[in-house]
Amino acid sequence: GQNIDQPTEMTATEGAIVQINCTYQTSGFNGLFWYQQHAGEAPTFLSYNVLDGLEEKGRFSSFLSRSKGYSYLLLKELQMKDSASYLCAVLGGSYIPTFGRGTSLIVHP
Amino acid sequence: IAGITQAPTSQILAAGRRMTLRCTQDMRHNAMYWYRQDLGLGLRLIHYSNTAGTTGKGEVPDGYSVSRANTDDFPLTLASAVPSQTSVYFCASSVAENNEQFFGPGTRLTVL
């Protein structure tokens, strides 16, 4: 089976940096996705990692360590609009996606 | 149509009734998915289809069925709804199973 863990909730200050961690145990591995979901809306794609290392995309970066079963999403220069849930999703060996329960990020002034 | 759509937006349903949630995409994506999202449980995969004509079971398939007669449409049917199926249902599609998913706006279903 698959097991994905991420913190339930985090808070941060506008302008700051926050790191959201995701650990996973899967049968096989074919990539890890991060999605953002604002309240009452559908998830939207942020990043995809399949090889070890850091992928940077503007204010958002995502890191993967396959040997440790670990990823993080780094958000820089936080804005109020970054308040949302952040979902970690892993593609296992069968290419079936499994989502974590999501991390609710609250950004305050 | 632009992207991926779902219908209805919301529905209140009596227990025991049959219901089909519709999902259509115009991006010619091969893979499509149905999820339910419940507070505290995150997104859970119900059924998926990697290409037209094929379907597979996800994490929580019981009580649901799907079909994939063509590339664009992927309906989800509840044969006899039960209150535990009260949830927000999201349909998603991707070019292939290892690509990013695009999500529809969701259907909020309440079973009484």
Side-chain angles (χ1 to χ4, degrees):
Chain A
Q2 323 256 68
N3 188 41
I4 301 172
D5 288 313
Q6 46 180 137
T8 302
E9 186 174 293
M10 300 181 70
T11 60
T13 305
E14 192 175 16
I17 299 172
V18 70
Q19 178 175 311
I20 303 174
N21 296 325
C22 173
T23 58
Y24 63 89
Q25 295 172 309
T26 60
S27 302
F29 179 81
N30 282 297
L32 187 145
F33 294 86
W34 284 97
Y35 290 85
Q36 180 190 59
Q37 185 178 24
H38 285 102
E41 298 183 8
T44 56
F45 169 78
L46 288 177
S47 68
Y48 172 65
N49 296 70
V50 67
L51 300 176
D52 290 350
L54 187 68
E55 295 278 344
E56 297 186 78
K57 190 186 294 185
R59 293 190 299 115
F60 293 5
S61 303
S62 57
F63 172 83
L64 175 68
S65 169
R66 288 173 296 171
S67 63
K68 295 182 179 178
Y70 169 69
S71 173
Y72 67 72
L73 180 69
L74 192 71
L75 291 74
K76 303 175 186 175
E77 302 170 15
L78 279 173
Q79 302 175 9
M80 298 297 289
K81 67 178 182 179
D82 296 330
S83 292
S85 285
Y86 292 85
L87 314 178
C88 173
V90 176
L91 276 183
S94 58
Y95 288 92
I96 297 174
T98 300
F99 279 79
R101 297 188 178 193
T103 298
S104 177
L105 174 66
I106 301 169
V107 180
H108 55 83
Chain B
I1 298 176
I4 181 165
T5 61
Q6 295 182 234
T9 302
S10 65
Q11 182 76 44
I12 299 174
L13 190 66
R17 298 296 296 269
R18 181 184 179 89
M19 176 73 192
T20 295
L21 307 185
R22 300 184 298 279
C23 176
T24 299
Q25 53 100 1
D26 66 354
M27 297 176 284
R28 308 304 293 171
H29 285 175
N30 287 310
M32 296 187 76
Y33 312 83
W34 273 107
Y35 297 90
R36 58 178 291 172
Q37 188 171 39
D38 303 288
L39 196 63
L41 295 178
L43 281 166
R44 292 182 292 167
L45 183 65
I46 305 171
H47 286 286
Y48 65 95
S49 169
N50 288 332
T51 189
T54 69
T55 62
K57 294 182 179 180
E59 180 185 355
V60 289
D62 294 344
Y64 306 95
S65 64
V66 291
S67 62
R68 188 87 184 278
N70 56 61
T71 297
D72 298 346
D73 302 299
F74 191 42
L76 176 74
T77 297
L78 289 68
S80 179
V82 295
S84 62
Q85 291 177 311
T86 294
S87 187
V88 179
Y89 291 86
F90 286 103
C91 179
S93 71
S94 61
V95 172
E97 55 266 30
N98 61 338
N99 292 101
E100 67 190 88
Q101 294 185 26
F102 293 82
F103 285 81
T107 293
R108 184 174 296 275
L109 182 67
T110 302
V111 183
L112 302 176

